[in-house]
Amino acid sequence: MKVLIGCEYSGRVRQAFRNAGHDAWSCDLLESEDDSPYHIVGDLINLLSDGWDLAIFHPPCTHLAVSGSRWFKNKAKEQADALVFVQTLMDAPIPRIALENPISVISSCIRKPDQIIQPWQYGTGETKATCLWLKGLPKLTPTNIVEGREARVHKMPPGPNRWKERSRTYIGVAQAMADQWGRLQTISQ
Ligand SMILES: C[S@@+](CC[C@H](N)C(=O)[O-])C[C@H]1O[C@@H](n2cnc3c(N)ncnc32)[C@H](O)[C@@H]1O
């Protein structure tokens, strides 16, 4: 399958799909952390019509996450732009799409998510509610429910790299996406 992982600098989902034999590419405005030749630095919007079978998008939640709602009144324009970006990704001409974000205004402004997953359902004993908006994809099935409900991401000290530490996709979730969605048939558009 030709797979696009949009807004991914970590390479975790891209690598899980490549390990399973797919022609998977990541794209971000940033360089990839693993220096992969299968990473495109640039604006994801320019790639959406390039004939992908499946896309997984991780757009920024800075202006969308409900956890930051106390700042919403000061950033109406940023939030409107972020919602247009999300809607453009959801409407991309790609037959199977998953878009991931925390609990956010996407639910009230665009539509409710199809599924909310937690890292502890995929092998990491932490909590971080992650919403998935799906097109042409089944819900992800938990792969390894573990003990432990630590809210690690909320306890991280402030610092310039905190957002990066907080936003890398969990490896167990990346693996589940590749295992479960990578085995689906391709659909012609
Ligand atoms: C919340 S992070 C997602 C990180 C991801 N879960 C990972 O494991 O790498 C959002 C990312 O979106 C990227 N981004 C924002 N606008 C973009 C655009 N127009 N095209 C490509 N990437 C973009 C940012 O640079 C940032 O790295």
Side-chain angles (χ1 to χ4, degrees), residues 7-11 27-30 42-45 58-61 85 100 163 167-169:
C7 298
E8 181 178 76
Y9 60 84
S10 71
C27 170
D28 201 288
L29 299 173
L30 305 176
D43 188 346
L44 172 62
I45 297 294
H58 307 275
C61 60
F85 185 58
E100 171 266 316
W163 75 270
S167 67
R168 268 182 214 103
T169 305

Side-chain angles (χ1 to χ4, degrees), residues 39-173:
H39 180 77
I40 299 162
V41 177
D43 188 346
L44 172 62
I45 297 294
N46 298 329
L47 302 179
L48 298 180
S49 299
D50 289 353
W52 307 97
D53 297 306
L54 162 64
I56 299 172
F57 299 129
H58 307 275
C61 60
T62 320
H63 305 304
L64 301 174
V66 167
S67 58
S69 60
R70 63 188 178 284
W71 310 113
F72 282 174
K73 63 180 182 307
N74 302 323
K75 54 182 191 186
K77 167 82 171 74
E78 290 88 339
Q79 186 171 96
D81 290 348
L83 283 165
V84 168
F85 185 58
V86 165
Q87 185 73 70
T88 303
L89 299 180
M90 286 179 168
D91 293 344
I94 300 171
R96 300 188 192 275
I97 297 176
L99 185 139
E100 171 266 316
N101 230 233
I103 306 284
S104 78
V105 296
I106 297 174
S107 300
S108 49
C109 297
I110 297 181
R111 70 175 176 87
K112 291 198 185 316
D114 297 289
Q115 183 177 16
I116 300 179
I117 62 171
Q118 287 282 352
W120 55 261
Q121 299 172 313
Y122 299 87
T124 304
E126 296 179 16
T127 55
K128 185 184 178 193
T130 301
C131 302
L132 297 175
W133 286 263
L134 304 173
K135 170 188 157 186
L137 289 170
K139 290 178 184 167
L140 216 53
T141 303
T143 51
N144 180 16
I145 295 179
V146 295
E147 297 297 317
R149 301 289 184 265
E150 191 194 357
R152 185 183 65 89
V153 291
H154 297 301
K155 292 186 192 153
M156 287 178 182
N161 282 329
R162 184 168 82 149
W163 75 270
K164 267 191 154 179
E165 300 305 326
R166 287 166 67 128
S167 67
R168 268 182 214 103
T169 305
Y170 288 86
I171 285 176
V173 172

